[in-house]
Amino acid sequence: MNFIVLASGRGSRLNELTKNKPKCLTVVRNKKTILDYITLNFDKSDNAIISTGYKANLIEKHLAGKSINYVRNKNFLNTNMVESLMLCKKKLRNGNLVIIYGDIYFDQKIIKKLKKIKGNVIAVNPNWLHSWKKRYSTLKKIREDAEDLIVSKGKIISIGNRIRKKLPKFQYMGILKIEQKTFNKLEKFYKKINNKKISLTHFIDQTIKAKITTYNYSVFKNYWYEIDNISDLNYLKKNI
């Protein structure tokens, strides 16, 4: 299994906390960082890859001694997560890919379950609105921050677009698993669209609409926190 962590961004909305270090090195509890908790999900048999960018040397120094492959997105300021993901190709081994955003704190049981599910799977959360109400004071702000997610018969139909009407039942968790043959298809499509600034959710949405591949979804009620700003970090520390 290839286990990929996308951690190339700074996370400027965390202000001074990320002025001199990457977002994933933000301390969340017990003097451990977001990245420390993500790496707890690595199995010895996993091919662990971290895609870095901002202050990449600090990540490598922080995890010194661990068996991890690093891929550096030197153009992280002008690209997005999809570019960071595609750069991991040179470090891949045979097997499926578990892909994790480098700014989330979540229950380890999610990954254990996800690895057992066949096919391309996107992790979604049904309890997202509760935490979004804590993070944002108005429904308008919730709509602006959250992304639409439309599902049908176990499949993702649309993802990453602006919420137009009613709030979605689920929210994407920044965790997914894809087959290696799917990664190869995605890479070809990425080269074709030639858009290095496209977000990962919009990219997934385009691959669905272009019928490049399909994605199942798996519902997880386990704890999961997205850390975008100081309020998110304080909310996380208060609830754990």
Side-chain angles (χ1 to χ4, degrees), residues 41-96:
N41 292 276
F42 294 168
D43 287 335
K44 291 182 178 180
S45 59
D46 287 334
N47 175 34
I49 304 170
I50 299 180
S51 186
T52 63
Y54 178 71
K55 303 284 185 180
N57 60 308
L58 296 182
I59 293 177
E60 295 181 24
K61 182 179 179 180
H62 184 78
L63 298 177
K66 293 184 179 292
S67 181
I68 296 173
N69 291 305
Y70 294 96
V71 175
R72 189 173 295 192
N73 181 359
K74 296 180 180 179
N75 195 27
F76 68 92
L77 286 174
N78 300 305
T79 60
N80 215 316
M81 281 189 183
V82 186
E83 177 71 7
S84 295
L85 173 60
M86 295 304 161
L87 289 172
C88 294
K89 180 183 178 180
K90 56 189 175 183
K91 296 291 185 179
L92 292 180
R93 297 176 187 167
N94 290 330
N96 296 329

Side-chain angles (χ1 to χ4, degrees), residues 70-161:
Y70 294 96
V71 175
R72 189 173 295 192
N73 181 359
K74 296 180 180 179
N75 195 27
F76 68 92
L77 286 174
N78 300 305
T79 60
N80 215 316
M81 281 189 183
V82 186
E83 177 71 7
S84 295
L85 173 60
M86 295 304 161
L87 289 172
C88 294
K89 180 183 178 180
K90 56 189 175 183
K91 296 291 185 179
L92 292 180
R93 297 176 187 167
N94 290 330
N96 296 329
L97 292 74
V98 170
I99 302 162
I100 308 289
Y101 287 14
D103 63 351
I104 55 175
Y105 177 88
F106 55 92
D107 191 340
Q108 288 178 253
K109 294 177 183 177
I110 294 172
I111 302 301
K112 291 179 180 178
K113 180 180 177 181
L114 192 70
K115 285 183 175 181
K116 296 177 181 179
I117 304 174
K118 294 182 179 180
N120 304 315
V121 188
I122 290 177
V124 300
N125 186 280
N127 303 320
W128 70 275
L129 188 55
H130 174 75
S131 62
W132 255 254
K133 285 180 178 179
K134 298 292 184 180
R135 295 169 64 193
Y136 299 101
S137 57
T138 65
L139 182 59
K140 180 181 178 181
K141 289 183 178 181
I142 291 174
R143 285 180 170 275
E144 290 174 349
D145 181 77
E147 294 182 329
D148 205 7
L149 179 62
I150 302 173
V151 300
S152 177
K153 298 179 180 179
K155 302 285 185 183
I156 300 288
I157 303 301
S158 177
I159 186 173
N161 297 301

Side-chain angles (χ1 to χ4, degrees), residues 22 25 27 49 62 68 116 129 153 164 176 185 190 238:
L25 293 186
V27 174
I49 304 170
H62 184 78
I68 296 173
K116 296 177 181 179
L129 188 55
K153 298 179 180 179
R164 297 293 182 182
L176 69 155
K185 291 179 182 179
Y190 181 60
K238 181 179 177 180

Side-chain angles (χ1 to χ4, degrees), residues 82 85-86 176 178 181-191 203-204 207 212-213 215:
V82 186
L85 173 60
M86 295 304 161
L176 69 155
I178 60 173
K181 63 181 180 180
T182 298
F183 177 85
N184 295 333
K185 291 179 182 179
L186 299 185
E187 185 197 21
K188 290 180 181 178
F189 184 69
Y190 181 60
K191 290 179 179 179
F203 178 69
I204 292 172
T207 64
I212 302 300
T213 189
Y215 306 86

